[in-house]
Each structure stands twice: as structure tokens, then as C-alpha cells.
Amino acid sequence: MKIVTENLGKRFNREWVFRNFSYQFMAGNCYAITGPNGSGKSTLMQVLWGQMQPSVGSVNYLGLEPSAVFKSVAIATPYMDLIEEFTLEEMVRFHFKFKRCRVPLENVLEKTELESSRLKIISTFSSGMRQRLKLALAFYSDCELLFLDEPCTNLDKKSIEWYHTQLHRVPSETLVFIASNQEIEYPATASKIDILSYK
């Protein structure tokens, strides 16, 4: 599958966040969307995964039926909410009612390395634990499209190593997007797209 954008643009009021964005994203590749804070990386990602409508242009998912796009997308962002009242175990089971799991469900907690907190309420989690959980839910979802927005936010050194291990284990046919202004967050082999080139 691939995603094709044609003359894509998004503006808020009179300000263009990006425009004239035409690109072909191919399955099996990783793309790093780069640029400084506030430059529009997250907005472009949200348009690409279908949460936000573009102001102009189009996004086409070739190889996917329109009705299947939602089930084909896995997302992890620092601003994504978790259900605060759930325990870790409840959150994992709830998430995988809506997404296929790439590993046996009973192994997910072990792979997050948060197993000792399985019965803790998410509202008591540190920011780093929350971010690792969000990443794990995305990594273990059996989806063709993986979107990671500033994935190492709030992660310590050990968790960043865990992140890179999981990223390396993503199935080779997955289409991966990483929005970041830090090179540590994306592989050296990623195709880089500077959002400032589309202003």
C-alpha cells in the first residue's frame, strides 16, 4: 500500500501551516517529518492519519478501502489521552478490543516492561510510564500505518533504548511516520521531510 498526497495544504485562519505538499509514502519505509517546535509537524501527521481535514488538496490511501483506514492506523503522541480510571491491564485489554494485537495479548504487559504496575491506576502513572504505554499500544497493534509524534517525550535513557528496540521490531512492511526535531527519535535511514520546505 501507499499514501499519496496531492497539493495538500492546511491553514488556520489566514496562516498556512503547510501547502503544496505532494508526496508518495511507500509501505516498508520510515519517514521523519522534521522541523522546529510549532512548525506544523503534528498538524501534517493528523491530516495524514485522517483526524484533520486538509484546507486544500487530497490524501489517498492506495491499497486500503476508505472504511478500513481507521483500523489500519496506530498512533502514539504525547497529547493522546489514556483512560485515567483504568488499570494498566484494563487499558491494554480495552485497546485491543479495537485493534488486532501483533503478539499474544498476555505477553503485552511483559513487553512493555511495566508488568509490575499491571494493577495500578493510570492516573498514578508518571509521564514517562504513560508515554511508554502509549508507544506500546501503537507498537503492538497489527496495523499497516504507524504514526509516532515526538515519541521520546518524557522517556529516560533506559526507556529510549526500549523504544529503539521496539521500533526495530516493527514488521518490515509497515509504513512508519515519525514527527520529531531530534535525530535520536528516528533511524538514520529514514527519509527526512522538512516541514519548513512547504510553507
Side-chain angles (χ1 to χ4, degrees):
M1 72 147 300
K2 62 182 178 181
I3 297 177
V4 178
T5 68
E6 296 182 0
N7 298 316
L8 198 65
K10 182 65 181 180
R11 69 180 179 184
F12 295 109
N13 298 319
R14 296 183 179 180
E15 181 181 357
W16 285 97
V17 181
F18 60 87
R19 55 183 165 179
N20 301 320
F21 185 77
S22 297
Y23 209 94
Q24 292 193 22
F25 299 99
M26 307 298 295
N29 290 290
C30 179
Y31 298 89
I33 300 172
T34 65
N37 291 339
S39 58
K41 301 184 300 295
S42 297
T43 301
L44 175 56
M45 293 269 278
Q46 290 172 40
V47 171
L48 290 175
W49 76 55
Q51 177 179 339
M52 186 181 295
Q53 290 295 311
S55 301
V56 295
S58 62
V59 182
N60 298 295
Y61 306 90
L62 304 184
L64 279 179
E65 294 294 330
S67 60
V69 172
F70 170 75
K71 290 186 177 180
S72 302
V73 171
I75 302 165
T77 78
Y79 48 84
M80 184 175 73
D81 290 329
L82 297 167
I83 300 176
E84 299 279 315
E85 296 81 10
F86 277 4
T87 65
L88 171 59
E89 184 172 16
E90 288 170 338
M91 185 70 236
V92 169
R93 293 190 179 279
F94 180 76
H95 175 83
F96 289 111
K97 286 182 179 180
F98 303 96
K99 301 285 186 183
R100 298 184 307 272
C101 190
R102 285 201 296 109
V103 299
L105 189 57
E106 58 271 17
N107 293 351
V108 171
L109 291 179
E110 176 186 352
K111 290 181 176 295
T112 65
E113 298 181 8
L114 294 171
E115 192 172 19
S116 62
S117 300
R118 66 187 304 143
L119 299 180
K120 288 185 178 179
I121 303 296
I122 289 173
S123 62
T124 68
F125 279 21
S126 69
S127 57
M129 291 171 70
R130 290 167 184 256
Q131 182 64 6
R132 184 184 284 221
L133 173 55
K134 294 172 188 179
L135 289 168
L137 295 177
F139 279 135
Y140 306 138
S141 294
D142 186 11
C143 294
E144 290 90 342
L145 307 172
L146 176 61
F147 290 87
L148 306 173
D149 194 351
E150 298 186 349
C152 292
T153 299
N154 297 319
L155 297 187
D156 58 19
K157 182 178 179 181
K158 181 180 178 182
S159 293
I160 291 173
E161 292 173 355
W162 171 89
Y163 160 75
H164 282 291
T165 297
Q166 304 309 315
L167 183 61
H168 182 72
R169 291 175 178 171
V170 169
S172 60
E173 66 274 15
T174 307
L175 175 47
V176 180
F177 297 86
I178 302 174
S180 175
N181 56 17
Q182 300 184 55
E183 292 185 356
I184 192 175
E185 294 190 312
Y186 53 84
T189 55
S191 299
K192 299 178 185 64
I193 300 168
D194 182 0
I195 191 71
L196 295 181
S197 299
Y198 298 93
K199 294 293 185 181

